[in-house]
Amino acid sequence: MKEFILNALEEIQNGYTLCGVVDRRARVYPLGSDTKVISTLFEIVVRQAVASYAKHSGLELIEPTKQNHYPDFTLMKNVKDQQKIAIDVKTTYKKKGTRRFGYTLGSYTSYIRPETASKNIVFPYDQYAEHWVIGFIYKRFEGKRDTTGLIFSFDSLNEIPIPFDDAEVFIQEKWRIAGDRAGSGNTANIGSISGTIDDFRSGNGVFQTEQEFLEYWRGCKRTA
């Protein structure tokens, strides 16, 4: 799975050129530089790659029907499958002066705990055998690239500014990139390691096994 999806996502690292949203009158609206917009773009691209893998492997692809439900994608043989695969997409941008970055990896007070295994998750946690993260880190263009109010035609696609560059991607099991600190201030989110893209690709987390990861975060109490 890992190599299949990475190969499908190879174009992103080689100058991905998705540049806007098209309406039925063939007008192209530029993406803009909002981080949520760019994150959604990466999720759309990942959806195609995961769907391709699902078709190749004879699996069903399920997405959440409710907001804020984990994971972004579920791969399974059927609804009774007890070996489902969870795939979550994480995105952040490169910060000046450092090659290190991190993510939040989901709540530690909801579905990972046996007593709330069905909370904010598509299927109960114990029905998932694998938990994967597809992570992106990209460079934001600096300076003014304001496209507010601009609409382009198909004839001028090359003129549309793309709000990011130098995107890199990794795929890794969640527990292998998890840290031992909360990831977002006062919220009860698992924090990833703070590392380079190579650390994430290699899975240089702080836990030796997935069970150790679960025992640690299931035992954490929210401090705020």
Side-chain angles (χ1 to χ4, degrees), residues 27 38 68-69 74 83 85-86 97 104 113 139 151 155 161 169 186 193 200 207 212:
R27 298 178 298 185
I38 297 175
N68 301 320
H69 271 52
T74 296
Q83 299 291 310
I85 300 172
T104 58
R113 298 175 184 262
K139 179 181 179 181
I151 300 176
D155 294 332
V169 61
N186 292 330
I193 57 173
F200 282 86
F207 299 103
E212 182 185 357

Side-chain angles (χ1 to χ4, degrees), residues 48-181:
Q48 306 310 312
V50 174
S52 180
Y53 174 76
K55 183 177 181 180
H56 170 79
S57 304
L59 298 173
E60 294 183 32
L61 172 61
I62 303 296
E63 297 181 60
T65 57
K66 298 179 181 179
Q67 287 188 335
N68 301 320
H69 271 52
Y70 173 85
D72 290 322
F73 306 102
T74 296
L75 293 172
M76 63 185 189
K77 295 177 182 177
N78 52 56
V79 72
K80 295 182 180 180
D81 187 0
Q82 299 294 305
Q83 299 291 310
K84 297 179 176 72
I85 300 172
I87 299 176
D88 231 21
V89 183
K90 301 294 180 182
T91 304
T92 191
Y93 59 87
K94 299 178 181 182
K95 297 177 176 62
K96 284 185 177 181
T98 180
R99 295 174 57 237
R100 305 178 74 84
F101 61 95
Y103 304 95
T104 58
L105 300 177
S107 171
Y108 59 81
T109 61
S110 58
Y111 50 80
I112 71 166
R113 298 175 184 262
E115 64 272 22
T116 52
S118 297
K119 182 180 178 181
N120 297 334
I121 189 170
V122 177
F123 295 98
Y125 191 83
D126 60 5
Q127 292 186 18
Y128 289 90
E130 301 176 34
H131 299 265
W132 292 84
V133 172
I134 300 179
F136 295 93
I137 181 168
Y138 62 91
K139 179 181 179 181
R140 296 196 298 183
F141 280 119
E142 298 179 5
K144 293 184 178 181
R145 301 174 62 86
D146 188 9
T147 56
T148 303
L150 296 181
I151 300 176
F152 295 81
S153 68
F154 281 166
D155 294 332
S156 58
L157 291 180
N158 289 332
E159 299 175 16
I160 302 176
I162 299 174
F164 68 91
D165 193 11
D166 193 23
E168 297 179 275
V169 61
F170 69 87
I171 301 179
Q172 189 55 264
E173 289 181 277
K174 181 189 291 188
W175 73 267
R176 294 183 185 274
I177 60 172
D180 55 6
R181 296 183 180 182

